[in-house]
Coordinates of all heavy atoms in Angstrom, one line a residue:
M1 N 116.8 129.4 122.3 CA 115.8 130.0 123.2 C 114.6 129.0 123.3 O 114.1 128.6 122.3 CB 115.3 131.3 122.5 CG 114.0 131.8 123.0 SD 113.3 133.3 122.2 CE 114.0 133.2 120.5
S2 N 114.3 128.7 124.6 CA 113.2 127.8 124.8 C 111.9 128.5 124.7 O 111.8 129.7 124.8 CB 113.4 127.0 126.1 OG 113.3 127.9 127.2
V3 N 110.8 127.7 124.5 CA 109.5 128.2 124.3 C 108.6 127.4 125.2 O 108.7 126.2 125.5 CB 109.0 127.9 122.8 CG1 107.6 128.3 122.6 CG2 109.9 128.7 121.9
T4 N 107.6 128.2 125.8 CA 106.6 127.5 126.6 C 105.2 127.7 125.9 O 104.9 128.8 125.5 CB 106.5 128.2 128.0 OG1 107.7 128.0 128.7 CG2 105.4 127.5 128.9
S5 N 104.6 126.6 125.7 CA 103.2 126.6 125.0 C 102.2 126.2 126.1 O 102.4 125.2 126.7 CB 103.2 125.7 123.8 OG 104.1 126.2 122.8
L6 N 101.1 126.9 126.1 CA 100.0 126.6 127.0 C 98.8 126.2 126.2 O 98.3 127.0 125.4 CB 99.7 127.8 127.9 CG 100.8 128.4 128.7 CD1 100.3 129.7 129.3 CD2 101.3 127.4 129.7
L7 N 98.4 124.9 126.3 CA 97.2 124.4 125.6 C 96.1 124.2 126.6 O 96.2 123.4 127.5 CB 97.5 123.1 124.9 CG 96.3 122.5 124.2 CD1 95.9 123.4 123.0 CD2 96.6 121.1 123.7
E8 N 95.1 125.1 126.6 CA 94.0 125.1 127.5 C 92.8 124.4 126.8 O 92.4 124.8 125.7 CB 93.6 126.5 128.0 CG 92.5 126.4 129.0 CD 92.2 127.8 129.6 OE1 93.0 128.8 129.4 OE2 91.2 128.0 130.2
V9 N 92.3 123.4 127.5 CA 91.1 122.7 127.0 C 90.0 122.7 128.1 O 90.3 122.7 129.3 CB 91.3 121.3 126.5 CG1 92.3 121.3 125.3 CG2 91.9 120.4 127.6
Q10 N 88.8 122.7 127.6 CA 87.6 122.5 128.6 C 86.8 121.3 128.1 O 86.4 121.3 126.9 CB 86.8 123.8 128.7 CG 85.6 123.6 129.6 CD 85.5 124.8 130.5 OE1 86.0 125.8 130.3 NE2 84.7 124.5 131.6
F11 N 86.7 120.3 128.9 CA 85.9 119.1 128.6 C 84.5 119.3 128.9 O 84.1 120.0 129.8 CB 86.5 117.9 129.3 CG 87.9 117.6 128.9 CD1 89.0 117.8 129.7 CD2 88.1 116.9 127.7 CE1 90.3 117.5 129.4 CE2 89.4 116.6 127.3 CZ 90.5 116.9 128.2
Q12 N 83.6 118.6 128.2 CA 82.2 118.5 128.5 C 82.2 117.7 129.9 O 82.9 116.7 130.0 CB 81.5 117.7 127.5 CG 81.4 118.4 126.1 CD 80.8 117.5 125.1 OE1 79.8 116.8 125.4 NE2 81.4 117.5 123.9
P13 N 81.4 118.2 130.8 CA 81.4 117.5 132.1 C 81.1 116.0 132.1 O 81.8 115.3 132.8 CB 80.3 118.3 132.9 CG 80.2 119.6 132.3 CD 80.6 119.4 130.8
D14 N 80.2 115.6 131.2 CA 79.9 114.2 131.1 C 80.9 113.4 130.3 O 80.8 112.2 130.2 CB 78.5 114.0 130.6 CG 78.3 114.6 129.2 OD1 79.0 115.5 128.8 OD2 77.4 114.1 128.4
R15 N 81.9 114.0 129.8 CA 82.9 113.4 129.0 C 84.3 113.6 129.6 O 85.3 113.3 128.9 CB 82.9 113.9 127.5 CG 81.6 113.9 126.8 CD 81.2 112.6 126.2 NE 82.1 111.9 125.3 CZ 82.1 112.0 124.0 NH1 81.3 112.8 123.4 NH2 83.0 111.3 123.3
L16 N 84.4 114.1 130.8 CA 85.6 114.5 131.4 C 86.6 113.3 131.5 O 87.8 113.4 131.1 CB 85.4 115.1 132.8 CG 86.7 115.4 133.6 CD1 87.5 116.4 132.9 CD2 86.3 115.9 135.0
E17 N 86.2 112.2 132.1 CA 87.1 111.0 132.3 C 87.6 110.5 130.9 O 88.8 110.2 130.8 CB 86.4 109.9 133.1 CG 86.2 110.3 134.5 CD 87.4 110.9 135.2 OE1 88.5 110.2 135.1 OE2 87.3 111.9 135.9
E18 N 86.7 110.4 130.0 CA 87.1 110.0 128.6 C 88.1 111.0 128.0 O 89.1 110.6 127.4 CB 85.8 109.9 127.7 CG 86.1 109.5 126.3 CD 84.9 109.6 125.4 OE1 83.8 109.9 125.9 OE2 85.1 109.4 124.2
G19 N 87.8 112.3 128.1 CA 88.7 113.3 127.6 C 90.1 113.2 128.2 O 91.1 113.4 127.5
L20 N 90.1 113.0 129.5 CA 91.4 113.0 130.2 C 92.2 111.7 129.8 O 93.4 111.8 129.6 CB 91.2 112.9 131.7 CG 90.7 114.2 132.4 CD1 90.4 114.0 133.9 CD2 91.7 115.3 132.2
A21 N 91.5 110.6 129.5 CA 92.2 109.4 129.0 C 92.8 109.7 127.6 O 93.9 109.3 127.3 CB 91.2 108.2 129.0
V22 N 92.0 110.3 126.7 CA 92.5 110.6 125.4 C 93.7 111.6 125.5 O 94.7 111.4 124.8 CB 91.3 111.3 124.6 CG1 91.9 111.9 123.2 CG2 90.2 110.3 124.3
L23 N 93.6 112.6 126.3 CA 94.7 113.5 126.5 C 96.0 112.8 127.0 O 97.1 113.0 126.5 CB 94.3 114.6 127.4 CG 95.3 115.8 127.6 CD1 95.6 116.5 126.3 CD2 94.8 116.7 128.7
A24 N 95.8 111.9 128.0 CA 97.0 111.2 128.5 C 97.6 110.4 127.4 O 98.9 110.4 127.3 CB 96.5 110.3 129.6
R25 N 96.9 109.7 126.5 CA 97.5 108.9 125.4 C 98.2 109.9 124.5 O 99.3 109.6 124.0 CB 96.4 108.1 124.7 CG 95.9 106.9 125.5 CD 95.0 106.0 124.6 NE 93.9 106.7 124.0 CZ 92.7 106.8 124.5 NH1 92.5 106.4 125.8 NH2 91.7 107.4 123.9
A26 N 97.5 111.0 124.1 CA 98.1 111.9 123.2 C 99.4 112.5 123.7 O 100.4 112.8 122.9 CB 97.1 113.0 122.8
L27 N 99.5 112.8 125.0 CA 100.7 113.5 125.5 C 101.9 112.5 125.6 O 103.0 113.0 125.6 CB 100.4 114.0 126.9 CG 99.4 115.2 126.9 CD1 99.2 115.7 128.3 CD2 100.0 116.4 126.0
R28 N 101.7 111.2 125.5 CA 102.8 110.3 125.3 C 103.6 110.7 124.1 O 104.8 110.7 124.0 CB 102.4 108.9 125.3 CG 102.0 108.4 126.7 CD 101.7 106.9 126.6 NE 100.6 106.6 127.6 CZ 99.5 106.1 127.3 NH1 99.2 105.7 126.1 NH2 98.6 105.9 128.3
D29 N 102.9 110.9 123.0 CA 103.5 111.3 121.7 C 104.1 112.6 121.8 O 105.1 112.9 121.2 CB 102.5 111.2 120.6 CG 102.0 109.8 120.3 OD1 102.8 108.8 120.5 OD2 100.9 109.6 119.8
T30 N 103.4 113.5 122.5 CA 104.0 114.9 122.6 C 105.3 114.9 123.3 O 106.3 115.5 122.9 CB 103.0 115.8 123.4 OG1 101.7 115.8 122.8 CG2 103.5 117.2 123.5
R31 N 105.4 114.1 124.4 CA 106.6 114.1 125.2 C 107.8 113.4 124.4 O 108.9 113.7 124.6 CB 106.4 113.3 126.5 CG 105.5 114.1 127.5 CD 105.3 113.3 128.8 NE 104.6 114.1 129.7 CZ 103.3 114.0 130.0 NH1 102.6 113.0 129.4 NH2 102.7 114.8 130.9
A32 N 107.4 112.5 123.5 CA 108.4 111.8 122.7 C 108.8 112.6 121.4 O 109.8 112.3 120.8 CB 107.9 110.5 122.3
F33 N 108.1 113.7 121.1 CA 108.4 114.5 119.9 C 109.7 115.2 120.0 O 110.0 115.7 121.1 CB 107.2 115.5 119.6 CG 107.1 115.9 118.2 CD1 106.4 115.2 117.3 CD2 107.8 117.1 117.8 CE1 106.3 115.7 116.0 CE2 107.7 117.5 116.5 CZ 107.0 116.8 115.6
D34 N 110.4 115.2 118.9 CA 111.7 115.8 118.9 C 111.6 117.3 119.3 O 110.8 118.0 118.7 CB 112.4 115.7 117.5 CG 113.8 116.2 117.4 OD1 114.6 115.9 118.4 OD2 114.2 116.9 116.5
G35 N 112.4 117.7 120.3 CA 112.4 119.1 120.7 C 111.5 119.4 121.9 O 111.6 120.5 122.5
C36 N 110.7 118.4 122.3 CA 109.9 118.6 123.5 C 110.8 118.4 124.8 O 111.4 117.3 124.9 CB 108.8 117.6 123.6 SG 107.7 117.8 125.0
L37 N 110.8 119.4 125.6 CA 111.7 119.3 126.8 C 110.9 118.8 128.0 O 111.4 118.1 128.8 CB 112.2 120.7 127.2 CG 113.1 121.4 126.1 CD1 113.4 122.8 126.5 CD2 114.3 120.5 125.8
S38 N 109.6 119.1 128.1 CA 108.7 118.6 129.1 C 107.3 119.0 128.9 O 107.0 119.9 128.1 CB 109.1 119.2 130.5 OG 108.9 120.6 130.5
V39 N 106.4 118.2 129.5 CA 104.9 118.6 129.5 C 104.4 118.3 130.9 O 104.6 117.3 131.5 CB 104.1 117.7 128.5 CG1 102.7 118.0 128.6 CG2 104.6 117.8 127.1
T40 N 103.8 119.3 131.5 CA 103.1 119.2 132.8 C 101.7 119.6 132.6 O 101.3 120.5 131.8 CB 103.7 120.3 133.8 OG1 105.1 120.0 133.9 CG2 103.1 120.2 135.1
V41 N 100.8 118.8 133.2 CA 99.4 119.1 133.1 C 98.8 119.6 134.4 O 99.1 119.0 135.5 CB 98.6 117.8 132.6 CG1 97.1 118.0 132.6 CG2 99.1 117.3 131.3
V42 N 98.1 120.6 134.3 CA 97.4 121.2 135.5 C 95.9 121.2 135.3 O 95.4 121.4 134.2 CB 98.0 122.6 135.9 CG1 99.4 122.5 136.4 CG2 97.8 123.6 134.8
Q43 N 95.2 120.9 136.4 CA 93.7 120.9 136.3 C 93.1 121.9 137.3 O 93.6 121.9 138.5 CB 93.2 119.5 136.6 CG 91.8 119.2 136.4 CD 91.5 117.7 136.6 OE1 92.1 117.0 137.3 NE2 90.4 117.3 136.0
D44 N 92.2 122.7 136.9 CA 91.6 123.7 137.7 C 90.9 123.0 138.9 O 90.1 122.1 138.8 CB 90.5 124.4 136.8 CG 90.0 125.7 137.5 OD1 89.6 125.6 138.7 OD2 89.8 126.7 136.9
H45 N 91.3 123.5 140.1 CA 90.7 123.0 141.3 C 89.2 123.2 141.5 O 88.5 122.3 141.9 CB 91.5 123.6 142.5 CG 90.9 123.2 143.8 ND1 91.1 121.9 144.3 CD2 90.2 123.9 144.8 CE1 90.5 121.8 145.5 NE2 90.0 123.0 145.8
Q46 N 88.8 124.4 141.0 CA 87.3 124.7 141.2 C 86.5 124.2 140.0 O 85.3 124.0 140.2 CB 87.2 126.2 141.4 CG 87.7 126.7 142.7 CD 87.5 128.1 142.9 OE1 87.4 128.9 142.0 NE2 87.4 128.5 144.2
D47 N 87.1 124.0 138.9 CA 86.4 123.5 137.7 C 87.3 122.5 137.0 O 88.1 122.8 136.1 CB 86.1 124.7 136.7 CG 85.4 124.2 135.5 OD1 85.1 123.0 135.4 OD2 85.1 125.0 134.6
P48 N 87.2 121.2 137.4 CA 88.0 120.2 136.9 C 87.9 119.9 135.4 O 88.7 119.2 134.9 CB 87.6 118.9 137.7 CG 86.5 119.3 138.5 CD 86.3 120.8 138.5
T49 N 86.9 120.5 134.8 CA 86.8 120.3 133.3 C 87.8 121.2 132.6 O 88.0 121.0 131.4 CB 85.4 120.6 132.8 OG1 85.1 122.0 133.0 CG2 84.3 119.7 133.5
R50 N 88.4 122.1 133.3 CA 89.4 123.0 132.7 C 90.8 122.4 132.9 O 91.2 122.2 134.1 CB 89.3 124.4 133.2 CG 88.1 125.1 132.8 CD 88.0 126.5 133.3 NE 89.1 127.3 132.6 CZ 89.9 128.1 133.3 NH1 89.7 128.4 134.5 NH2 90.8 128.8 132.6
V51 N 91.5 122.1 131.9 CA 92.9 121.5 132.0 C 93.8 122.3 131.1 O 93.5 122.7 130.0 CB 92.8 120.0 131.5 CG1 94.2 119.4 131.5 CG2 91.8 119.3 132.4
V52 N 95.0 122.5 131.6 CA 96.1 123.2 130.8 C 97.3 122.3 130.7 O 97.8 121.8 131.7 CB 96.5 124.5 131.4 CG1 97.6 125.2 130.6 CG2 95.3 125.4 131.6
A53 N 97.8 122.0 129.5 CA 99.1 121.3 129.3 C 100.1 122.4 129.1 O 100.0 123.3 128.2 CB 99.0 120.5 128.0
V54 N 101.1 122.4 130.0 CA 102.2 123.4 129.9 C 103.4 122.6 129.3 O 104.0 121.7 129.8 CB 102.6 123.8 131.3 CG1 103.7 124.8 131.3 CG2 101.4 124.4 132.1
E55 N 103.7 123.0 128.0 CA 104.7 122.3 127.2 C 105.9 123.2 127.1 O 105.8 124.4 126.8 CB 104.1 122.0 125.8 CG 102.8 121.3 125.8 CD 102.2 121.3 124.4 OE1 102.8 121.8 123.5 OE2 101.0 120.8 124.3
R56 N 107.1 122.6 127.3 CA 108.3 123.4 127.1 C 109.0 122.8 125.8 O 109.2 121.5 125.7 CB 109.2 123.3 128.3 CG 108.6 124.1 129.4 CD 109.6 124.5 130.5 NE 110.7 125.3 130.0 CZ 112.0 124.9 130.0 NH1 112.4 123.8 130.5 NH2 112.9 125.7 129.5
W57 N 109.4 123.6 124.9 CA 110.0 123.2 123.7 C 111.4 123.9 123.5 O 111.6 125.0 124.0 CB 109.1 123.7 122.5 CG 107.8 122.9 122.5 CD1 106.7 123.3 123.1 CD2 107.6 121.6 121.9 NE1 105.7 122.3 122.9 CE2 106.3 121.3 122.2 CE3 108.4 120.7 121.2 CZ2 105.7 120.1 121.8 CZ3 107.8 119.5 120.8 CH2 106.5 119.2 121.1
A58 N 112.3 123.2 122.8 CA 113.6 123.6 122.7 C 113.7 124.9 121.8 O 114.6 125.7 122.0 CB 114.5 122.5 122.0
S59 N 112.7 125.1 120.9 CA 112.8 126.3 120.0 C 111.4 126.5 119.4 O 110.5 125.6 119.5 CB 113.8 126.0 118.9 OG 113.3 124.9 118.1
L60 N 111.2 127.7 118.8 CA 110.0 127.9 118.1 C 109.8 127.0 116.9 O 108.7 126.5 116.7 CB 110.0 129.4 117.6 CG 109.7 130.5 118.6 CD1 110.0 131.8 118.0 CD2 108.2 130.4 119.1
E61 N 110.9 126.6 116.3 CA 110.8 125.7 115.2 C 110.3 124.3 115.6 O 109.5 123.6 114.9 CB 112.2 125.5 114.5 CG 112.7 126.8 113.8 CD 113.3 127.9 114.8 OE1 113.6 127.5 116.0 OE2 113.4 129.0 114.4
A62 N 110.8 123.8 116.8 CA 110.3 122.5 117.3 C 108.9 122.6 117.6 O 108.1 121.6 117.3 CB 111.1 122.1 118.5
D63 N 108.4 123.7 118.2 CA 107.0 123.8 118.5 C 106.2 123.8 117.2 O 105.2 123.2 117.1 CB 106.8 125.1 119.4 CG 105.3 125.3 119.7 OD1 104.8 124.6 120.6 OD2 104.6 126.1 119.0
A64 N 106.6 124.6 116.3 CA 105.9 124.7 115.0 C 105.9 123.4 114.3 O 104.8 123.0 113.7 CB 106.6 125.8 114.1
A65 N 106.9 122.6 114.3 CA 106.9 121.3 113.7 C 105.9 120.4 114.4 O 105.2 119.6 113.7 CB 108.3 120.7 113.7
Y66 N 105.8 120.5 115.7 CA 104.9 119.6 116.4 C 103.5 120.0 116.1 O 102.6 119.2 115.8 CB 105.1 119.8 117.9 CG 104.0 119.2 118.8 CD1 104.0 117.8 118.9 CD2 103.1 120.0 119.4 CE1 102.9 117.2 119.7 CE2 102.1 119.4 120.2 CZ 102.0 118.0 120.3 OH 101.0 117.5 121.0
R67 N 103.2 121.4 116.0 CA 101.8 121.8 115.7 C 101.4 121.4 114.3 O 100.3 121.0 114.0 CB 101.7 123.3 115.8 CG 102.1 123.9 117.1 CD 101.1 123.6 118.2 NE 101.9 123.8 119.5 CZ 101.6 123.2 120.6 NH1 100.7 122.3 120.7 NH2 102.3 123.4 121.7
A68 N 102.4 121.4 113.3 CA 102.1 121.0 112.0 C 101.8 119.5 112.0 O 100.9 119.0 111.3 CB 103.3 121.3 111.1
W69 N 102.5 118.7 112.7 CA 102.3 117.3 112.8 C 100.9 117.0 113.4 O 100.1 116.1 112.9 CB 103.4 116.6 113.6 CG 103.2 115.1 113.9 CD1 103.3 114.1 113.0 CD2 102.8 114.5 115.1 NE1 103.0 112.9 113.6 CE2 102.7 113.1 114.9 CE3 102.5 115.0 116.4 CZ2 102.3 112.2 115.9 CZ3 102.2 114.1 117.4 CH2 102.1 112.7 117.1
R70 N 100.5 117.7 114.5 CA 99.2 117.5 115.1 C 98.1 117.9 114.1 O 97.0 117.4 114.2 CB 99.1 118.3 116.4 CG 99.7 117.6 117.6 CD 99.0 116.4 118.0 NE 99.5 115.8 119.2 CZ 99.5 114.5 119.5 NH1 98.9 113.7 118.7 NH2 100.0 114.1 120.7
A71 N 98.3 118.9 113.3 CA 97.3 119.3 112.3 C 97.2 118.3 111.2 O 96.2 118.4 110.4 CB 97.7 120.7 111.8
G72 N 98.1 117.4 111.0 CA 98.1 116.4 109.9 C 98.0 115.0 110.4 O 97.1 114.6 111.1
D73 N 99.1 114.3 110.2 CA 99.2 112.8 110.6 C 99.0 112.6 112.0 O 98.6 111.5 112.4 CB 100.5 112.3 110.1 CG 100.7 112.2 108.6 OD1 99.6 112.2 107.9 OD2 101.8 112.0 108.1
G74 N 99.4 113.5 112.9 CA 99.3 113.3 114.4 C 98.0 113.8 115.0 O 97.9 113.9 116.2
A75 N 97.0 114.1 114.2 CA 95.8 114.6 114.7 C 95.2 113.7 115.7 O 95.3 112.5 115.6 CB 94.8 114.9 113.6
I76 N 94.5 114.2 116.7 CA 93.9 113.5 117.8 C 92.4 113.4 117.5 O 91.6 114.3 117.9 CB 94.2 114.1 119.2 CG1 95.6 114.4 119.4 CG2 93.6 113.2 120.3 CD1 96.0 115.3 120.5
A77 N 92.0 112.4 116.7 CA 90.6 112.4 116.2 C 89.6 112.3 117.2 O 88.5 112.8 117.1 CB 90.5 111.2 115.2
D78 N 89.8 111.6 118.4 CA 88.8 111.4 119.4 C 88.7 112.4 120.4 O 87.9 112.4 121.3 CB 88.9 110.0 120.0 CG 90.3 109.6 120.3 OD1 91.3 110.3 120.0 OD2 90.5 108.5 121.0
L79 N 89.6 113.5 120.4 CA 89.6 114.5 121.4 C 88.4 115.5 121.2 O 87.7 115.9 122.1 CB 90.9 115.2 121.5 CG 91.1 116.3 122.6 CD1 91.0 115.6 124.0 CD2 92.4 117.0 122.5
P80 N 88.2 116.0 120.0 CA 87.2 117.1 119.8 C 85.8 116.7 120.4 O 85.1 117.6 120.9 CB 87.1 117.3 118.3 CG 88.5 116.9 117.8 CD 88.9 115.8 118.7
G81 N 85.4 115.5 120.3 CA 84.1 115.1 120.8 C 84.0 115.2 122.3 O 82.8 115.1 122.8
T82 N 85.1 115.3 123.0 CA 85.0 115.4 124.4 C 85.1 116.8 124.9 O 84.9 117.1 126.1 CB 86.2 114.6 125.1 OG1 87.4 115.2 124.7 CG2 86.2 113.1 124.6
L83 N 85.3 117.8 124.0 CA 85.6 119.1 124.4 C 84.3 120.0 124.4 O 83.4 119.7 123.6 CB 86.6 119.8 123.5 CG 88.0 119.2 123.4 CD1 88.8 119.9 122.4 CD2 88.6 119.2 124.8
A84 N 84.3 121.0 125.3 CA 83.1 121.9 125.4 C 83.3 123.1 124.4 O 82.3 123.8 124.2 CB 83.0 122.4 126.8
G85 N 84.5 123.2 123.9 CA 84.7 124.3 122.9 C 86.1 124.1 122.3 O 86.8 123.1 122.6
A86 N 86.5 125.1 121.5 CA 87.8 125.0 120.9 C 88.9 125.2 121.9 O 88.8 126.0 122.8 CB 87.9 126.1 119.8
P87 N 90.0 124.4 121.7 CA 91.2 124.6 122.6 C 91.8 126.0 122.4 O 91.6 126.6 121.3 CB 92.2 123.5 122.1 CG 91.4 122.5 121.3 CD 90.2 123.3 120.8
R88 N 92.5 126.4 123.4 CA 93.2 127.7 123.3 C 94.7 127.5 123.5 O 95.1 126.9 124.4 CB 92.7 128.7 124.4 CG 93.3 130.0 124.4 CD 92.8 130.9 125.4 NE 93.6 132.1 125.5 CZ 93.5 133.0 126.4 NH1 92.7 132.8 127.4 NH2 94.3 134.0 126.4
L89 N 95.4 128.0 122.5 CA 96.9 127.8 122.5 C 97.6 129.2 122.7 O 97.3 130.1 121.9 CB 97.4 127.1 121.2 CG 98.9 127.0 121.1 CD1 99.4 126.0 122.1 CD2 99.2 126.5 119.7
T90 N 98.5 129.2 123.6 CA 99.3 130.4 123.8 C 100.8 129.9 123.7 O 101.2 129.0 124.4 CB 99.1 131.1 125.2 OG1 97.8 131.4 125.3 CG2 100.0 132.3 125.3
V91 N 101.6 130.5 122.8 CA 103.0 130.2 122.6 C 103.8 131.4 123.1 O 103.6 132.5 122.6 CB 103.3 129.8 121.1 CG1 104.8 129.6 121.0 CG2 102.5 128.7 120.7
A92 N 104.7 131.2 124.0 CA 105.4 132.3 124.6 C 106.9 132.0 124.6 O 107.3 130.9 124.9 CB 104.9 132.6 126.1
V93 N 107.7 133.0 124.2 CA 109.1 132.8 124.3 C 109.6 133.3 125.7 O 109.1 134.2 126.3 CB 109.9 133.6 123.2 CG1 109.6 133.0 121.9 CG2 109.5 135.1 123.2
E94 N 110.6 132.6 126.2 CA 111.1 132.9 127.5 C 112.0 134.2 127.4 O 112.8 134.3 126.5 CB 111.9 131.8 128.1 CG 110.9 130.6 128.4 CD 111.6 129.4 129.0 OE1 112.8 129.5 129.5 OE2 111.0 128.4 129.1
R95 N 111.9 135.0 128.4 CA 112.7 136.3 128.5 C 113.7 136.1 129.6 O 113.4 136.0 130.7 CB 111.8 137.4 128.8 CG 110.7 137.7 127.8 CD 111.2 138.5 126.6 NE 111.9 139.7 126.9 CZ 111.5 140.9 126.8 NH1 110.3 141.1 126.4 NH2 112.3 141.9 127.2
D96 N 115.0 136.2 129.2 CA 116.1 136.1 130.2 C 116.4 137.5 130.7 O 117.2 137.6 131.7 CB 117.3 135.5 129.5 CG 117.1 134.1 129.2 OD1 116.3 133.4 129.8 OD2 117.7 133.6 128.2
D97 N 115.9 138.6 130.1 CA 116.3 139.9 130.5 C 115.4 140.5 131.5 O 115.6 141.7 131.9 CB 116.4 140.8 129.2 CG 115.1 140.9 128.5 OD1 114.3 140.0 128.5 OD2 114.8 141.9 127.8
L98 N 114.3 139.8 131.9 CA 113.4 140.4 132.9 C 113.5 139.7 134.2 O 113.8 138.6 134.3 CB 112.0 140.3 132.3 CG 111.7 141.0 131.1 CD1 110.3 140.7 130.6 CD2 111.9 142.5 131.2

């Protein structure tokens, strides 16, 4: 069963370009992580400081392993300073019966 994770971040307006560059570098590792099926990034048209990474994972276990790695050795040290607040993560399992 595949999993879709939505990571929503809001950048400080004066740090937007820097934050996007940090995110782009970090997502290279995300895309290469075992179990990652794809990552698409969308940016709010009316508020470009709001960005959502739409991640597809092969399983809940793959997503959990990635989150554990990001919380430890894979932490993105230079991202928090560009954010206007805490990131928001939603992990959703796909439903084939609906």
Side-chain angles (χ1 to χ4, degrees):
M1 159 184 33
S2 62
V3 174
T4 300
S5 294
L6 307 172
L7 178 66
E8 183 176 347
V9 296
Q10 180 133 18
F11 293 105
Q12 297 174 40
D14 61 334
R15 308 279 306 267
L16 177 60
E17 293 307 314
E18 176 188 357
L20 291 172
V22 170
L23 184 62
R25 286 191 305 272
L27 290 179
R28 285 187 213 121
D29 292 333
T30 303
R31 289 180 176 104
F33 200 88
D34 188 41
C36 180
L37 302 176
S38 67
V39 177
T40 303
V41 178
V42 294
Q43 188 173 25
D44 189 316
H45 174 70
Q46 293 183 331
D47 181 0
T49 65
R50 293 184 63 223
V51 175
V52 178
V54 181
E55 307 167 5
R56 291 199 61 243
W57 294 93
S59 66
L60 282 170
E61 294 79 14
D63 180 79
Y66 170 75
R67 302 293 160 209
W69 176 72
R70 279 293 186 207
D73 291 342
I76 309 166
D78 46 353
L79 186 64
T82 67
L83 299 178
R88 180 177 172 194
L89 177 66
T90 302
V91 178
V93 293
E94 294 183 10
R95 298 280 310 256
D96 294 331
D97 60 330
L98 299 177

